[in-house]
């Protein structure tokens, strides 16, 4: 997850990093902050749990 307004890691840098990994999926974080909110983390871990081993 990345935020387009993140001042610490610009979104293009996150896109470039994700492009290095064939299975990567970059999703945009709604909150305009570097640190993800609890809601964002719940969504992320929920998606990871849905994918299973």
């Amino acid at each position: 997850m990345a935020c387009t307004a993140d001042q610490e890691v610009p979104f293009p840098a996150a896109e470039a990093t994700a492009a290095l990994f064939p299975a990567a999926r970059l999703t945009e974080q709604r909150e305009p902050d570097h640190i993800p909110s609890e809601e964002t983390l719940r969504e992320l871990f929920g998606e990871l749990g849905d994918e299973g081993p």
Side-chain angles (χ1 to χ4, degrees):
M1 293 196 160
C3 173
T4 56
D6 191 332
Q7 297 297 312
E8 294 182 49
V9 179
F11 198 76
E15 290 177 310
T17 301
L20 298 173
F21 300 91
R25 183 180 68 210
L26 182 62
T27 54
E28 186 177 340
Q29 175 177 295
R30 288 183 294 274
E31 295 83 6
D33 198 2
H34 180 73
I35 306 297
S37 68
E38 287 185 29
E39 177 184 346
T40 298
L41 289 174
R42 276 193 293 275
E43 288 177 22
L44 172 64
F45 289 119
E47 288 178 21
L48 292 173
D50 290 343
E51 293 180 13

